[in-house]
Amino acid sequence: MALKQTKFVLGEDRIPRSFYNIVADLPEPPAPVLHPGTGQPVGPDDLSPLFPMALIGQEVSTEREIEIPEPVRQAYALYRPSPLYRAHRLEAALDTPAHIYYKYEGVSPAGSHKPNTALAQAFYNKEQGTKRLATETGAGQWGSALAFAGAYFGLEVKVYMVRASYDQKPYRRNLMEVYGAEVVASPSMTTNYGRKVLADDPDSPGSLGIAISEAVEDTAGREDTKYSLGSVLNHVLLHQTVIGQEAMEQMAMAGEKPDILIACAGGGSNFAGLTFPFIGQKLRGEADYRVIAVEPEAAPSMTRGVYAYDFGDTGQMTPLVKMHTLGHDFIPEPIHAGGLRYHGMSPLVSLLKERGIIEAQAVHQNASFAAGVRFAKLEGILPAPEPTHAIKVAIDEALRAKAEGKPTVILFNLCGHGHFDLSAYERYLAGDLEDYELPQSRIEHAQATLPMR
Ligand SMILES: *Cc1c(COP(=O)(O)O)cnc(C)c1O
């Protein structure tokens, strides 16, 4: 008897040849990025201290397709194309008529989708003569991806790691150090901004917003260094579209088209990576999909935040971008989905949400972990805490399909594995995880601190 097909695998020759730029298909141009001092749109010269020209060009490009350099495709071949799975056992357990598929990005060396952009960024920097990259990391996923990419292309990497994670997640730090990166806890004594935060609060647990300020300051002070960001920016989302392009081909192999696409969203990059190529079809009138971004209740930028210009960092050093934000000084509760603890959302994802092209939902961490544990038992793969948010909503949608007796094809992004997050699972299993409801006063505070009211 033939096996039911579970895994859809493409050959190396099917690694995409170009990145897909959704800006070419948007109904309106994205809002300009503004200079934090002048409030005027930034030009390439404002950004060139931070990023290499190739990435600045991609940040503002309106071309639909941007060719992927061969050395980057070669690096992708270490783990791409990533597999697409059909979750037969989850479907059976839910007794749903829905078909559930997931794209698995945990097969990369760092264990998540983040190397898709880390490798591209390291390549373009190396090509322009950059010697060193400075960055921040929350849970350590981005730091380990960039450390790996730096090792691969021969660049030094300095990582400002949020203090709380630095103390709680030594293994991520160890992995970065194995790849040769230098890691310091943020706030640190090595930048003016870090010293200022520590003077006010010597026990500061840090935040992504603070760590970004430190990495930007580090970069601005050194000729040999550029800054690298793991999410939010247009060029980061662009690089992640290899995920959705492959998934589209793999869904065709499976002989199906998704009705609903789901991914978790912290800064929006894995969400964009899976969904933008499909949303492009929707925007061009070639197909229709429901697209759902899932965020934590503890940092609900899209479902409860304000759509306005704000800083990307706490120290108010980055340019202003128009996005869904909880306020640049927001320090999220210590939920275990570290990658989802950010005050803002990618401007491109925010625009799609604002125009009703995508939906957003927020879920609590106990419900997410419950979905993650259920998924691990049935499908074997231990998800990172972030994509358990997507799994929760995928299960909800599969149960809705059952209630409505409607055959529905669901595709979600399993953007990373949870092998470094077992202490979080331990706490969940012990019943020690708290759910955090964001007080409305926090939203009012965000509104009051927006730079351009
Ligand atoms: C970084 C990270 C996220 C959040 O970032 P996005 O840019 O929203 O994708 C989610 N999941 C994993 C596994 C991550 O490493």
Side-chain angles (χ1 to χ4, degrees):
M1 202 179 82
L3 292 176
K4 283 187 292 188
Q5 194 164 1
T6 298
K7 199 153 120 231
F8 298 86
V9 182
L10 300 167
E12 269 176 31
D13 58 320
R14 301 310 303 160
I15 293 171
R17 294 184 184 276
S18 57
F19 298 121
Y20 165 66
N21 183 11
I22 197 168
V23 174
D25 290 316
L26 287 179
E28 64 193 282
V33 173
L34 305 181
H35 191 282
T38 64
Q40 295 302 308
V42 297
D45 290 347
D46 297 311
L47 296 174
S48 61
L50 293 181
F51 303 108
M53 274 306 170
L55 293 177
I56 294 172
Q58 292 179 1
E59 191 61 25
V60 297
S61 171
T62 54
E63 296 287 310
R64 182 174 285 115
E65 280 168 13
I66 294 172
E67 192 180 329
I68 304 177
E70 272 313 301
V72 175
R73 290 188 73 232
Q74 187 66 53
Y76 285 164
L78 287 172
Y79 63 96
R80 305 211 71 83
S82 67
L84 179 104
Y85 290 88
R86 175 145 172 211
H88 288 294
R89 283 170 47 88
L90 179 60
E91 290 171 16
L94 297 173
D95 187 25
T96 174
H99 295 180
I100 306 174
Y101 292 85
Y102 58 96
K103 179 75 165 160
Y104 184 43
E105 291 293 307
V107 293
S108 83
S112 76
H113 63 290
K114 295 243 172 47
N116 297 333
T117 185
L119 287 164
Q121 292 188 42
F123 168 78
Y124 292 117
N125 270 289
K126 183 73 181 181
E127 222 189 5
Q128 192 184 297
T130 306
K131 297 276 180 290
R132 179 175 173 272
L133 293 172
T135 197
E136 70 290 327
T137 196
Q141 286 275 18
W142 169 241
S144 37
L146 195 69
F148 154 62
Y152 186 97
F153 282 110
L155 291 156
E156 282 176 53
V157 175
K158 169 82 176 259
V159 183
Y160 292 85
M161 184 173 191
V162 175
R163 162 62 73 184
S165 312
Y166 185 93
D167 294 335
Q168 287 162 16
K169 303 208 167 178
Y171 295 148
R172 275 276 167 206
R173 165 158 55 89
N174 299 152
L175 180 60
M176 291 183 250
E177 288 167 350
V178 166
Y179 288 131
E182 187 193 336
V183 187
V184 291
S186 166
S188 76
M189 291 300 285
T190 62
T191 64
N192 291 327
Y193 188 68
R195 284 189 290 272
K196 179 170 170 290
V197 174
L198 287 173
D200 292 345
D201 177 8
D203 298 323
S204 168
S207 72
L208 263 184
I210 293 170
I212 293 174
S213 298
E214 287 205 275
V216 168
E217 182 186 326
D218 176 314
T219 307
R222 288 182 59 149
E223 271 300 313
D224 64 348
T225 300
K226 294 277 186 243
Y227 172 63
S228 191
L229 191 63
S231 185
V232 178
L233 298 178
N234 299 357
H235 69 264
V236 178
L237 275 56
L238 176 80
H239 301 154
Q240 294 295 353
T241 59
V242 293
I243 302 172
Q245 293 182 68
E246 288 175 10
M248 208 175 262
E249 203 167 320
Q250 288 162 310
M251 289 302 298
M253 281 171 86
E256 302 219 68
K257 263 196 163 240
D259 298 299
I260 308 177
L261 293 141
I262 303 169
C264 67
S269 76
N270 90 83
F271 170 80
L274 177 73
T275 65
F276 277 12
F278 291 92
I279 295 175
Q281 292 184 325
K282 180 167 160 153
L283 293 170
R284 295 191 301 273
E286 297 163 9
D288 198 16
Y289 306 103
R290 263 186 80 199
V291 185
I292 309 172
V294 192
E295 60 186 12
E297 285 280 7
S301 54
M302 274 180 292
T303 49
R304 293 184 58 201
V306 198
Y307 183 58
Y309 274 103
D310 200 0
F311 295 101
D313 69 329
T314 311
Q316 313 191 2
M317 292 172 208
T318 67
L320 298 169
V321 294
K322 195 163 185 191
M323 62 180 175
H324 286 95
T325 176
L326 297 164
H328 54 268
D329 61 354
F330 180 61
I331 298 192
E333 297 293 343
I335 57 163
H336 285 276
L340 307 184
R341 297 176 67 221
Y342 183 60
H343 68 272
M345 181 50 60
S346 134
L348 288 175
V349 174
S350 292
L351 179 64
L352 293 169
K353 167 69 177 52
E354 198 60 18
R355 296 294 173 262
I357 296 163
I358 64 166
E359 303 166 33
Q361 288 183 27
V363 297
H364 279 299
Q365 66 174 350
N366 274 298
S368 301
F369 272 99
V373 166
R374 186 173 198 182
F375 181 86
K377 282 180 182 156
L378 291 163
E379 296 291 322
I381 297 172
L382 180 76
E386 293 85 359
T388 62
H389 291 69
I391 296 172
K392 163 76 172 79
V393 172
I395 291 174
D396 289 349
E397 290 298 333
L399 292 175
R400 184 213 298 263
K402 175 179 170 179
E404 294 175 356
K406 207 159 106 190
T408 305
V409 179
I410 298 169
L411 168 61
F412 73 88
N413 201 10
L414 185 50
C415 57
H417 68 62
H419 296 178
F420 289 92
D421 302 285
L422 285 163
S423 62
Y425 278 95
E426 181 184 20
R427 294 199 55 200
Y428 167 73
L429 293 174
D432 285 346
L433 284 194
E434 256 183 84
D435 283 337
Y436 301 96
E437 192 78 42
L438 193 72
Q440 188 57 28
S441 59
R442 177 61 234 185
I443 309 293
E444 284 150 23
H445 172 81
Q447 262 154 349
T449 54
L450 290 174
M452 300 182 45
R453 269 166 293 148

